[in-house]
């Protein structure tokens, strides 16, 4: 004999009504969550996009800066191999500098270019990385600042550097 489950009409109606109530509550919660995701998600997406664009712009600016520094150092190397041509700096056109003095100032300018590049590279990094790595560069600069020719070369070229770098260098040179 087959066993059939018999359900009265009332029980089926009651079960369907409760099931519908449960589904409508779930539907309301899903709608509420979708609104919340939209309210939070769109501004978050705009923020992430904006931050990414800012970082990309900074990266491109640094790339241009470092490329121009490389080209400038190449030019300075030409000046170094040809100090008699007076192609380096208008301050040297008056022949008051010997060839060795010109070469020394050009070499210091190459050093300043490297220091500025490093300074600008580390300026956007975390404080932890700056403390670990920049401290060595700073002590290197302090060592050079004991050399009067270093200071003389800095004074001759100081107006052409990044403003923050010039302020940093001048603070170090004043501490001397």
């Amino acid at each position: 004999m087959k066993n059939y489950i018999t359900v009265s009409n009332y029980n089926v109606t009651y079960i369907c009504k409760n099931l519908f109530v449960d589904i409508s509550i779930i539907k309301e919660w899903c709608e509420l969550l979708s609104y919340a995701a939209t309210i939070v998600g769109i501004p978050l997406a705009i923020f992430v996009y904006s931050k990414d664009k800012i970082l990309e712009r900074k990266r491109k600016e640094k790339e241009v800066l470092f490329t121009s520094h490389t080209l400038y150092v190449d030019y300075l190397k030409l000046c170094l191999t040809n100090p008699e041509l007076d192609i380096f700096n208008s301050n040297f056109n008056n022949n008051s500098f010997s060839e060795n003095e010109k070469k020394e100032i050009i070499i210091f300018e190459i050093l300043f270019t490297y220091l500025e590049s490093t300074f600008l590279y580390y300026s956007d990094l975390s404080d932890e990385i700056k403390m670990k790595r920049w401290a060595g560069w700073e002590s290197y600069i302090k060592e050079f600042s004991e050399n009067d020719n270093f200071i003389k070369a800095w004074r001759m070229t100081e107006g052409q550097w990044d403003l923050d770098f010039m302020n940093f260098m001048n603070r170090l040179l004043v501490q001397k």
Side-chain angles (χ1 to χ4, degrees), residues 69-80:
H69 276 180
T70 301
L71 294 172
Y72 185 60
V73 167
D74 289 345
Y75 167 73
L76 290 174
K77 288 176 184 177
L78 286 173
C79 294
L80 189 60

Side-chain angles (χ1 to χ4, degrees), residues 127-143:
D127 290 337
E128 180 183 349
I129 291 174
K130 282 184 211 175
M131 291 191 59
K132 285 181 181 177
R133 298 188 183 143
W134 180 247
W137 284 95
E138 194 171 327
S139 67
Y140 184 66
I141 295 168
K142 286 179 182 176
E143 284 178 34

Side-chain angles (χ1 to χ4, degrees), residues 62-110:
K62 280 188 175 184
E63 187 177 302
V64 167
L65 175 74
F66 295 144
T67 300
S68 66
H69 276 180
T70 301
L71 294 172
Y72 185 60
V73 167
D74 289 345
Y75 167 73
L76 290 174
K77 288 176 184 177
L78 286 173
C79 294
L80 189 60
T81 58
N82 301 290
E84 72 284 354
L85 295 180
D86 290 330
I87 57 173
F88 169 59
N89 188 323
S90 62
N91 293 336
F92 293 116
N93 291 340
N94 59 15
N95 293 329
S96 63
F97 297 97
S98 71
E99 191 170 302
N100 283 340
E101 287 174 321
K102 288 180 183 180
K103 286 182 177 183
E104 186 176 71
I105 292 171
I106 292 170
I107 291 170
F108 277 131
E109 187 151 352
I110 291 171

